[in-house]
Coordinates of all heavy atoms in Angstrom, one line a residue:
M1 N 5.9 -4.5 -7.8 CA 6.6 -3.3 -8.1 C 7.5 -2.9 -6.9 O 7.1 -3.0 -5.8 CB 5.6 -2.2 -8.4 CG 6.2 -0.9 -8.9 SD 5.0 0.3 -9.5 CE 4.8 -0.3 -11.1
D2 N 8.7 -2.5 -7.2 CA 9.6 -2.1 -6.1 C 9.2 -0.9 -5.4 O 9.4 -0.8 -4.2 CB 11.0 -1.9 -6.7 CG 11.7 -3.2 -7.1 OD1 11.2 -4.3 -6.8 OD2 12.8 -3.1 -7.7
E3 N 8.7 0.1 -6.1 CA 8.2 1.3 -5.4 C 6.8 1.7 -6.0 O 6.6 1.5 -7.2 CB 9.2 2.5 -5.7 CG 10.4 2.3 -4.9 CD 11.3 3.6 -4.9 OE1 10.8 4.6 -4.4 OE2 12.4 3.5 -5.4
V4 N 6.0 2.2 -5.1 CA 4.7 2.6 -5.5 C 4.8 3.9 -6.4 O 5.6 4.8 -6.0 CB 3.8 2.9 -4.3 CG1 2.5 3.5 -4.7 CG2 3.6 1.7 -3.5
P5 N 4.1 4.0 -7.5 CA 4.2 5.2 -8.2 C 3.5 6.3 -7.4 O 2.4 6.2 -6.9 CB 3.4 5.0 -9.5 CG 2.8 3.6 -9.4 CD 3.3 3.0 -8.1
W6 N 4.2 7.4 -7.2 CA 3.7 8.5 -6.3 C 3.0 9.6 -7.1 O 3.4 9.9 -8.2 CB 4.8 9.1 -5.5 CG 4.3 9.8 -4.3 CD1 4.0 11.1 -4.2 CD2 3.9 9.2 -3.1 NE1 3.4 11.4 -3.0 CE2 3.4 10.2 -2.3 CE3 4.0 7.9 -2.6 CZ2 2.9 10.0 -1.0 CZ3 3.6 7.7 -1.3 CH2 3.0 8.7 -0.5
S7 N 1.9 10.0 -6.5 CA 1.1 11.1 -7.1 C 0.4 11.8 -5.9 O 0.2 11.2 -4.9 CB 0.1 10.6 -8.1 OG -0.7 11.6 -8.5
D8 N 0.0 13.0 -6.2 CA -0.8 13.8 -5.2 C -2.2 13.4 -5.2 O -3.1 14.0 -4.5 CB -0.6 15.3 -5.3 CG 0.8 15.7 -4.8 OD1 1.4 15.0 -4.0 OD2 1.3 16.7 -5.3
S9 N -2.6 12.5 -6.1 CA -4.0 12.0 -6.2 C -4.0 10.5 -6.3 O -2.9 9.9 -6.6 CB -4.7 12.7 -7.4 OG -4.0 12.3 -8.6
I10 N -5.1 9.9 -6.1 CA -5.2 8.5 -6.2 C -5.0 8.0 -7.6 O -5.6 8.6 -8.6 CB -6.5 8.0 -5.6 CG1 -6.6 8.3 -4.1 CG2 -6.8 6.5 -5.9 CD1 -7.9 8.1 -3.5
T11 N -4.1 7.0 -7.8 CA -3.8 6.5 -9.1 C -4.5 5.2 -9.4 O -5.1 4.6 -8.6 CB -2.2 6.3 -9.2 OG1 -1.9 5.2 -8.3 CG2 -1.5 7.5 -8.8
S12 N -4.3 4.7 -10.7 CA -4.8 3.4 -11.0 C -4.1 2.3 -10.2 O -4.7 1.3 -9.9 CB -4.7 3.2 -12.5 OG -3.4 3.2 -12.9
Y13 N -2.8 2.5 -10.0 CA -2.1 1.6 -9.1 C -2.8 1.5 -7.8 O -2.9 0.4 -7.2 CB -0.6 2.0 -9.0 CG 0.2 0.9 -8.2 CD1 0.9 -0.1 -8.9 CD2 0.3 1.0 -6.9 CE1 1.6 -1.0 -8.2 CE2 1.0 0.1 -6.1 CZ 1.7 -0.9 -6.8 OH 2.4 -1.9 -6.1
D14 N -3.1 2.6 -7.2 CA -3.8 2.6 -5.9 C -5.1 1.8 -5.9 O -5.4 1.0 -5.0 CB -4.0 4.1 -5.4 CG -2.8 4.9 -5.2 OD1 -1.8 4.3 -4.8 OD2 -2.8 6.1 -5.4
R15 N -5.8 2.1 -6.9 CA -7.1 1.4 -7.1 C -6.9 -0.1 -7.2 O -7.7 -0.9 -6.6 CB -7.9 1.9 -8.3 CG -8.4 3.3 -8.1 CD -9.2 3.7 -9.4 NE -9.4 5.1 -9.4 CZ -8.6 6.0 -9.9 NH1 -7.6 5.7 -10.6 NH2 -8.9 7.3 -9.9
Q16 N -6.0 -0.5 -8.0 CA -5.7 -1.9 -8.2 C -5.1 -2.6 -7.0 O -5.2 -3.8 -6.8 CB -4.8 -2.1 -9.4 CG -5.4 -1.7 -10.7 CD -4.4 -1.7 -11.8 OE1 -3.2 -1.9 -11.6 NE2 -4.9 -1.3 -13.0
H17 N -4.4 -1.9 -6.1 CA -3.7 -2.5 -5.0 C -4.2 -2.1 -3.6 O -3.5 -2.2 -2.6 CB -2.2 -2.1 -5.2 CG -1.6 -2.8 -6.4 ND1 -1.6 -2.1 -7.6 CD2 -1.0 -4.0 -6.6 CE1 -1.0 -2.9 -8.5 NE2 -0.7 -4.0 -7.9
R18 N -5.4 -1.6 -3.6 CA -5.9 -1.2 -2.2 C -5.9 -2.3 -1.2 O -5.7 -2.1 -0.1 CB -7.3 -0.5 -2.4 CG -8.4 -1.4 -2.8 CD -9.7 -0.6 -2.9 NE -10.8 -1.4 -3.5 CZ -11.2 -1.2 -4.7 NH1 -10.7 -0.3 -5.4 NH2 -12.2 -2.0 -5.1
T19 N -6.1 -3.6 -1.7 CA -6.1 -4.7 -0.8 C -4.7 -4.9 -0.2 O -4.6 -5.2 1.0 CB -6.5 -6.0 -1.5 OG1 -7.9 -5.8 -2.0 CG2 -6.5 -7.2 -0.5
I20 N -3.7 -4.7 -1.0 CA -2.3 -4.7 -0.5 C -2.1 -3.7 0.6 O -1.5 -3.9 1.6 CB -1.3 -4.6 -1.6 CG1 -1.3 -5.9 -2.5 CG2 0.1 -4.3 -1.1 CD1 -0.4 -5.9 -3.7
Y21 N -2.6 -2.4 0.3 CA -2.4 -1.4 1.3 C -3.1 -1.8 2.6 O -2.5 -1.6 3.7 CB -3.0 -0.1 0.8 CG -2.4 0.5 -0.4 CD1 -3.1 1.2 -1.3 CD2 -1.0 0.5 -0.6 CE1 -2.5 1.8 -2.5 CE2 -0.4 1.1 -1.7 CZ -1.1 1.7 -2.6 OH -0.5 2.3 -3.7
L22 N -4.3 -2.4 2.6 CA -4.9 -2.8 3.8 C -4.2 -3.9 4.5 O -4.0 -3.9 5.7 CB -6.4 -3.3 3.4 CG -7.4 -2.3 3.1 CD1 -8.7 -2.9 2.6 CD2 -7.7 -1.4 4.3
R23 N -3.6 -4.8 3.7 CA -2.9 -5.9 4.3 C -1.6 -5.4 5.0 O -1.2 -5.8 6.1 CB -2.5 -7.0 3.3 CG -3.8 -7.7 2.8 CD -3.4 -8.8 1.8 NE -2.6 -9.8 2.5 CZ -1.8 -10.7 1.8 NH1 -1.8 -10.7 0.5 NH2 -1.1 -11.6 2.4
I24 N -1.0 -4.4 4.3 CA 0.2 -3.8 4.9 C -0.1 -3.1 6.2 O 0.6 -3.2 7.2 CB 0.9 -2.8 3.9 CG1 1.5 -3.5 2.7 CG2 1.8 -1.8 4.5 CD1 2.9 -4.0 2.9
L25 N -1.2 -2.3 6.2 CA -1.6 -1.6 7.4 C -1.9 -2.5 8.6 O -1.5 -2.3 9.7 CB -2.7 -0.6 7.2 CG -2.4 0.6 6.3 CD1 -3.7 1.4 5.9 CD2 -1.3 1.5 6.9
D26 N -2.6 -3.6 8.2 CA -2.9 -4.6 9.2 C -1.7 -5.3 9.8 O -1.5 -5.5 11.0 CB -3.8 -5.7 8.6 CG -5.3 -5.3 8.5 OD1 -5.7 -4.3 9.1 OD2 -6.0 -6.0 7.8
A27 N -0.7 -5.6 8.9 CA 0.5 -6.2 9.3 C 1.3 -5.3 10.2 O 1.9 -5.7 11.2 CB 1.3 -6.6 8.1
C28 N 1.3 -4.0 9.9 CA 2.0 -3.0 10.7 C 1.4 -3.0 12.1 O 2.1 -2.9 13.1 CB 2.0 -1.6 10.1 SG 3.1 -1.4 8.7
A29 N 0.0 -3.0 12.1 CA -0.7 -2.9 13.4 C -0.4 -4.2 14.2 O -0.4 -4.1 15.5 CB -2.2 -2.8 13.2
D30 N -0.1 -5.3 13.6 CA 0.2 -6.5 14.3 C 1.7 -6.7 14.5 O 2.2 -7.8 14.9 CB -0.3 -7.7 13.4 CG -1.8 -7.9 13.4 OD1 -2.4 -7.3 14.3 OD2 -2.3 -8.5 12.5
N31 N 2.5 -5.6 14.3 CA 3.9 -5.6 14.5 C 4.7 -6.7 13.6 O 5.6 -7.2 14.1 CB 4.3 -5.8 16.0 CG 3.8 -4.6 16.8 OD1 4.0 -3.4 16.4 ND2 3.2 -4.8 17.9
A32 N 4.2 -6.9 12.4 CA 4.9 -7.8 11.5 C 6.2 -7.2 11.1 O 6.3 -6.0 11.1 CB 4.0 -8.1 10.3
S33 N 7.2 -8.1 10.9 CA 8.5 -7.6 10.4 C 8.4 -7.2 9.0 O 7.5 -7.6 8.2 CB 9.5 -8.6 10.6 OG 9.3 -9.7 9.7
V34 N 9.4 -6.4 8.6 CA 9.5 -6.0 7.2 C 9.7 -7.2 6.3 O 9.1 -7.3 5.2 CB 10.6 -5.0 7.0 CG1 11.0 -4.8 5.5 CG2 10.3 -3.7 7.6
E35 N 10.4 -8.1 6.8 CA 10.7 -9.4 6.1 C 9.4 -10.2 5.9 O 9.1 -10.7 4.8 CB 11.7 -10.2 6.8 CG 13.1 -9.7 6.8 CD 13.3 -8.5 7.9 OE1 12.4 -8.4 8.8 OE2 14.3 -7.8 7.7
E36 N 8.5 -10.2 6.9 CA 7.3 -10.9 6.7 C 6.4 -10.3 5.7 O 5.7 -10.9 4.9 CB 6.5 -11.0 8.1 CG 7.2 -11.9 9.1 CD 6.5 -11.8 10.5 OE1 6.3 -10.6 11.0 OE2 6.2 -12.8 11.1
M37 N 6.3 -8.9 5.8 CA 5.5 -8.2 4.8 C 6.0 -8.3 3.4 O 5.2 -8.5 2.5 CB 5.4 -6.7 5.2 CG 4.5 -6.5 6.5 SD 4.3 -4.7 6.8 CE 5.7 -4.4 7.9
A38 N 7.3 -8.3 3.3 CA 7.9 -8.4 1.9 C 7.5 -9.8 1.3 O 7.1 -9.9 0.2 CB 9.4 -8.2 2.0
D39 N 7.7 -10.8 2.1 CA 7.5 -12.1 1.6 C 6.0 -12.5 1.5 O 5.5 -12.9 0.4 CB 8.1 -13.1 2.6 CG 8.0 -14.6 2.2 OD1 8.0 -14.8 1.0 OD2 7.9 -15.4 3.1
L40 N 5.2 -12.3 2.5 CA 3.8 -12.7 2.5 C 2.8 -11.8 1.8 O 1.8 -12.3 1.2 CB 3.3 -12.9 4.0 CG 4.1 -14.0 4.8 CD1 3.7 -14.0 6.2 CD2 4.0 -15.3 4.1
I41 N 3.1 -10.5 1.7 CA 2.2 -9.6 1.1 C 2.7 -9.2 -0.3 O 1.9 -9.2 -1.3 CB 2.0 -8.4 2.0 CG1 1.4 -8.8 3.3 CG2 1.1 -7.3 1.2 CD1 1.3 -7.7 4.3
L42 N 3.9 -8.9 -0.4 CA 4.4 -8.4 -1.7 C 5.1 -9.5 -2.6 O 5.4 -9.2 -3.7 CB 5.4 -7.2 -1.5 CG 4.8 -6.0 -0.8 CD1 5.9 -4.9 -0.6 CD2 3.6 -5.5 -1.5
G43 N 5.4 -10.6 -2.0 CA 6.0 -11.7 -2.7 C 7.5 -11.4 -3.1 O 8.0 -12.0 -4.0
N44 N 8.2 -10.6 -2.3 CA 9.6 -10.4 -2.5 C 10.4 -11.2 -1.5 O 10.0 -11.4 -0.3 CB 9.9 -8.9 -2.2 CG 9.3 -8.0 -3.3 OD1 9.0 -8.4 -4.4 ND2 9.1 -6.7 -2.9
D45 N 11.5 -11.8 -1.9 CA 12.3 -12.6 -1.1 C 13.2 -11.7 -0.3 O 14.2 -11.2 -0.8 CB 13.0 -13.6 -1.9 CG 13.7 -14.7 -1.0 OD1 14.2 -14.3 0.1 OD2 13.9 -15.8 -1.5
P46 N 13.0 -11.6 1.0 CA 13.8 -10.7 1.8 C 15.2 -11.3 2.1 O 16.1 -10.5 2.6 CB 13.0 -10.5 3.1 CG 12.2 -11.8 3.2 CD 11.9 -12.1 1.8
I47 N 15.4 -12.5 1.9 CA 16.7 -13.1 2.1 C 17.6 -13.0 0.9 O 18.8 -12.6 1.0 CB 16.6 -14.6 2.5 CG1 15.9 -14.7 3.8 CG2 18.0 -15.3 2.5 CD1 15.5 -16.1 4.2
L48 N 17.0 -13.2 -0.3 CA 17.8 -13.1 -1.5 C 18.0 -11.6 -1.9 O 19.0 -11.3 -2.5 CB 17.1 -13.8 -2.7 CG 17.1 -15.3 -2.6 CD1 16.3 -16.0 -3.7 CD2 18.5 -15.9 -2.5
E49 N 17.0 -10.8 -1.7 CA 17.1 -9.4 -2.1 C 16.6 -8.5 -0.9 O 15.5 -7.8 -1.0 CB 16.2 -9.1 -3.3 CG 16.6 -9.9 -4.5 CD 15.8 -9.6 -5.7 OE1 14.6 -10.1 -5.8 OE2 16.2 -8.8 -6.6
P50 N 17.4 -8.4 0.1 CA 16.9 -7.6 1.3 C 16.7 -6.1 1.1 O 15.8 -5.6 1.6 CB 18.0 -7.9 2.3 CG 19.2 -8.3 1.5 CD 18.7 -9.0 0.3
V51 N 17.6 -5.5 0.3 CA 17.4 -4.1 0.0 C 16.1 -3.8 -0.8 O 15.3 -2.9 -0.5 CB 18.7 -3.5 -0.7 CG1 18.4 -2.1 -1.1 CG2 19.9 -3.6 0.2
R52 N 15.9 -4.6 -1.8 CA 14.7 -4.5 -2.7 C 13.5 -4.7 -1.9 O 12.5 -4.0 -2.0 CB 14.8 -5.5 -3.8 CG 13.6 -5.4 -4.7 CD 13.7 -6.4 -5.9 NE 12.5 -6.3 -6.7 CZ 11.7 -7.4 -6.9 NH1 12.0 -8.6 -6.5 NH2 10.6 -7.2 -7.7
A53 N 13.5 -5.8 -1.0 CA 12.3 -6.1 -0.2 C 12.0 -5.0 0.7 O 10.8 -4.5 0.9 CB 12.6 -7.4 0.5
R54 N 13.0 -4.4 1.4 CA 12.8 -3.4 2.4 C 12.3 -2.1 1.7 O 11.4 -1.4 2.2 CB 14.1 -3.1 3.1 CG 14.0 -2.0 4.2 CD 15.2 -2.0 5.1 NE 15.4 -3.2 5.8 CZ 14.8 -3.4 7.0 NH1 13.9 -2.6 7.4 NH2 15.0 -4.6 7.6
K55 N 12.8 -1.8 0.5 CA 12.4 -0.6 -0.2 C 11.0 -0.7 -0.7 O 10.2 0.2 -0.6 CB 13.3 -0.5 -1.5 CG 13.2 0.8 -2.2 CD 14.3 0.8 -3.3 CE 14.3 2.1 -4.0 NZ 15.4 2.1 -5.1
A56 N 10.6 -1.9 -1.1 CA 9.2 -2.1 -1.6 C 8.2 -2.0 -0.4 O 7.2 -1.4 -0.6 CB 9.1 -3.5 -2.3
V57 N 8.6 -2.6 0.7 CA 7.7 -2.5 1.9 C 7.5 -1.0 2.3 O 6.4 -0.5 2.6 CB 8.2 -3.4 3.0 CG1 7.4 -3.1 4.3 CG2 8.0 -4.9 2.6
R58 N 8.7 -0.3 2.4 CA 8.6 1.0 2.9 C 7.8 1.9 1.9 O 7.0 2.7 2.4 CB 10.1 1.6 2.9 CG 10.2 3.1 3.3 CD 10.1 3.2 4.8 NE 8.7 3.6 5.2 CZ 8.2 3.5 6.4 NH1 8.8 2.9 7.4 NH2 6.9 3.9 6.6
S59 N 7.9 1.7 0.7 CA 7.1 2.4 -0.3 C 5.6 2.2 -0.2 O 4.8 3.1 -0.2 CB 7.6 2.1 -1.7 OG 6.8 2.7 -2.7
H60 N 5.3 0.9 0.0 CA 3.9 0.6 0.2 C 3.3 1.1 1.5 O 2.2 1.5 1.6 CB 3.6 -0.9 0.0 CG 3.6 -1.3 -1.4 ND1 4.8 -1.5 -2.1 CD2 2.6 -1.6 -2.3 CE1 4.5 -1.9 -3.3 NE2 3.2 -1.9 -3.5
I61 N 4.1 1.0 2.6 CA 3.7 1.6 3.9 C 3.4 3.1 3.8 O 2.4 3.6 4.2 CB 4.7 1.3 5.0 CG1 4.7 -0.2 5.4 CG2 4.5 2.2 6.2 CD1 5.9 -0.6 6.3
D62 N 4.4 3.8 3.1 CA 4.2 5.2 3.0 C 3.0 5.6 2.2 O 2.2 6.5 2.6 CB 5.4 5.8 2.2 CG 6.7 5.8 3.1 OD1 6.6 5.6 4.3 OD2 7.8 6.0 2.5
R63 N 2.7 4.9 1.1 CA 1.5 5.1 0.3 C 0.2 4.8 1.1 O -0.8 5.5 1.0 CB 1.6 4.4 -1.0 CG 0.5 4.8 -2.0 CD 0.7 6.3 -2.4 NE -0.3 6.7 -3.4 CZ -0.4 7.8 -4.0 NH1 0.4 8.8 -3.6 NH2 -1.3 8.1 -4.9
A64 N 0.3 3.6 1.8 CA -0.9 3.2 2.5 C -1.2 4.3 3.6 O -2.4 4.6 3.8 CB -0.7 1.9 3.2
N65 N -0.2 4.8 4.3 CA -0.4 5.8 5.3 C -1.0 7.1 4.6 O -1.8 7.8 5.2 CB 0.9 6.1 6.0 CG 1.2 5.1 7.0 OD1 0.3 4.5 7.6 ND2 2.4 4.8 7.3
W66 N -0.4 7.5 3.4 CA -0.9 8.6 2.7 C -2.4 8.4 2.4 O -3.2 9.3 2.5 CB -0.1 8.9 1.5 CG -0.5 10.1 0.7 CD1 -0.1 11.4 0.9 CD2 -1.4 10.1 -0.4 NE1 -0.7 12.2 0.0 CE2 -1.5 11.4 -0.9 CE3 -2.1 9.1 -1.1 CZ2 -2.3 11.8 -1.9 CZ3 -2.9 9.5 -2.2 CH2 -3.0 10.8 -2.6
M67 N -2.7 7.2 1.9 CA -4.1 7.0 1.5 C -5.0 7.1 2.7 O -6.2 7.4 2.6 CB -4.3 5.5 0.9 CG -3.6 5.3 -0.4 SD -4.5 5.9 -1.8 CE -5.8 4.7 -1.7
G68 N -4.5 6.8 3.9 CA -5.3 6.8 5.1 C -5.5 8.2 5.8 O -6.2 8.3 6.7
D69 N -4.8 9.2 5.2 CA -4.8 10.5 5.7 C -6.3 11.0 5.7 O -7.0 10.8 4.7 CB -3.9 11.4 4.9 CG -3.7 12.8 5.5 OD1 -4.6 13.3 6.2 OD2 -2.6 13.3 5.3
D70 N -6.7 11.7 6.7 CA -8.1 12.2 6.8 C -8.5 13.0 5.6 O -9.7 12.9 5.2 CB -8.2 13.1 8.0 CG -8.2 12.4 9.3 OD1 -8.4 11.1 9.3 OD2 -8.0 13.0 10.4
R71 N -7.7 13.7 5.0 CA -8.1 14.6 3.8 C -8.4 13.7 2.6 O -9.1 14.2 1.7 CB -7.0 15.6 3.5 CG -5.8 15.0 2.8 CD -4.8 16.1 2.5 NE -3.7 15.5 1.8 CZ -2.5 15.1 2.3 NH1 -2.4 15.2 3.6 NH2 -1.6 14.6 1.6
L72 N -8.1 12.4 2.7 CA -8.4 11.5 1.5 C -9.6 10.6 1.8 O -10.0 9.9 0.9 CB -7.2 10.7 1.2 CG -6.0 11.5 0.7 CD1 -4.8 10.6 0.5 CD2 -6.4 12.1 -0.7
Q73 N -10.1 10.6 3.0 CA -11.2 9.7 3.3 C -12.4 9.8 2.3 O -12.9 8.8 1.9 CB -11.6 9.8 4.7 CG -10.5 9.4 5.7 CD -10.1 8.0 5.4 OE1 -10.8 7.0 5.3 NE2 -8.7 7.8 5.4
A74 N -12.8 11.0 2.0 CA -13.9 11.1 1.1 C -13.6 10.6 -0.3 O -14.4 9.9 -0.9 CB -14.3 12.6 1.0
T75 N -12.4 10.8 -0.8 CA -12.0 10.3 -2.1 C -12.0 8.8 -2.1 O -12.5 8.1 -3.0 CB -10.6 10.8 -2.5 OG1 -10.6 12.3 -2.4 CG2 -10.2 10.4 -3.8
V76 N -11.5 8.2 -1.0 CA -11.4 6.7 -0.9 C -12.8 6.2 -0.9 O -13.1 5.2 -1.5 CB -10.6 6.3 0.3 CG1 -10.7 4.8 0.6 CG2 -9.1 6.7 0.2
R77 N -13.7 6.8 -0.1 CA -15.1 6.3 0.0 C -15.7 6.4 -1.4 O -16.4 5.5 -1.9 CB -15.9 7.1 1.0 CG -15.6 6.7 2.4 CD -16.6 7.3 3.3 NE -16.6 8.7 3.4 CZ -15.7 9.4 4.2 NH1 -14.9 8.8 5.0 NH2 -15.7 10.7 4.2
Q78 N -15.4 7.4 -2.2 CA -16.0 7.6 -3.5 C -15.4 6.5 -4.4 O -16.2 5.9 -5.2 CB -15.6 9.0 -4.1 CG -16.2 9.2 -5.4 CD -15.9 10.6 -5.9 OE1 -15.0 11.3 -5.4 NE2 -16.5 11.0 -7.0
L79 N -14.2 6.2 -4.3 CA -13.6 5.1 -5.1 C -14.2 3.8 -4.8 O -14.5 3.0 -5.7 CB -12.1 5.0 -4.9 CG -11.2 6.1 -5.5 CD1 -9.8 5.9 -5.0 CD2 -11.2 6.0 -7.0
N80 N -14.4 3.5 -3.6 CA -15.0 2.2 -3.2 C -16.5 2.2 -3.7 O -16.9 1.1 -4.1 CB -15.0 2.1 -1.7 CG -13.6 1.7 -1.2 OD1 -12.8 1.1 -1.9 ND2 -13.3 2.1 0.0
Y81 N -17.2 3.3 -3.6 CA -18.6 3.3 -4.1 C -18.6 2.9 -5.5 O -19.4 2.1 -6.0 CB -19.2 4.6 -3.8 CG -20.6 4.7 -4.3 CD1 -21.7 4.1 -3.6 CD2 -20.9 5.4 -5.5 CE1 -22.9 4.2 -4.1 CE2 -22.2 5.5 -5.9 CZ -23.2 4.9 -5.3 OH -24.5 5.0 -5.8
R82 N -17.7 3.6 -6.3 CA -17.7 3.3 -7.8 C -17.3 1.9 -8.1 O -17.8 1.3 -9.0 CB -16.7 4.3 -8.4 CG -17.3 5.6 -8.7 CD -16.4 6.4 -9.6 NE -16.1 7.7 -9.1 CZ -15.0 8.4 -9.3 NH1 -14.1 7.9 -10.0 NH2 -14.9 9.5 -8.7
A83 N -16.4 1.3 -7.3 CA -16.0 0.0 -7.5 C -16.9 -1.1 -6.9 O -16.7 -2.3 -7.2 CB -14.6 -0.2 -6.9
G84 N -17.9 -0.6 -6.2 CA -18.8 -1.6 -5.6 C -18.3 -2.3 -4.4 O -18.7 -3.4 -4.1
C85 N -17.3 -1.7 -3.7 CA -16.6 -2.3 -2.6 C -17.2 -1.8 -1.3 O -17.9 -0.8 -1.2 CB -15.1 -2.0 -2.6 SG -14.3 -2.5 -4.1
G86 N -16.9 -2.6 -0.2 CA -17.3 -2.2 1.1 C -16.3 -1.1 1.6 O -15.6 -0.5 0.8
A87 N -16.3 -0.9 2.9 CA -15.4 0.1 3.5 C -13.9 -0.2 3.1 O -13.5 -1.3 3.1 CB -15.6 0.1 5.0
F88 N -13.2 0.9 2.9 CA -11.8 0.7 2.5 C -11.0 0.7 3.8 O -10.6 0.7 4.6 CB -11.3 1.9 1.6 CG -9.9 1.8 1.2 CD1 -9.5 0.8 0.4 CD2 -9.0 2.7 1.6 CE1 -8.2 0.7 -0.1 CE2 -7.7 2.7 1.2 CZ -7.3 1.7 0.3

């Protein structure tokens, strides 16, 4: 998806793509380039479609950061518990 569907609450897209959010945050922490994240995490070709790739990465970074906000930690833990997952 080019842009993450935005909502003030956690969406089904968020639930389905939490691994992508984690990979994006890890990549940011490792100073990966937008091009690397677009290609390796989102599967977008940053050479053929640089604007689309950059837009998709930015959208996922923004949502991943929003998900990581302190006010959402309890909700994220609850989602993981329901899904039978480890720490988010």
Side-chain angles (χ1 to χ4, degrees):
M1 185 172 276
D2 287 351
E3 289 190 61
V4 174
W6 199 266
S7 173
D8 288 334
S9 60
I10 294 174
T11 67
S12 61
Y13 184 92
D14 296 329
R15 288 182 196 92
Q16 293 169 358
H17 294 88
R18 66 178 173 255
T19 301
I20 288 176
Y21 295 144
L22 286 172
R23 291 181 67 199
I24 288 278
L25 292 174
D26 284 344
C28 287
D30 289 341
N31 294 315
S33 70
V34 169
E35 292 78 16
E36 290 172 312
M37 288 186 271
D39 182 31
L40 299 174
I41 299 172
L42 299 178
N44 292 337
D45 189 328
I47 294 171
L48 293 177
E49 298 182 284
V51 173
R52 178 178 179 238
R54 183 169 294 280
K55 190 176 189 180
V57 169
R58 179 78 260 161
S59 177
H60 282 81
I61 289 171
D62 290 346
R63 190 65 177 177
N65 284 327
W66 181 85
M67 294 277 295
D69 193 326
D70 287 343
R71 72 179 184 266
L72 292 175
Q73 292 305 310
T75 304
V76 170
R77 281 191 296 276
Q78 182 180 13
L79 285 173
N80 286 329
Y81 177 75
R82 279 193 231 151
C85 300
F88 182 66

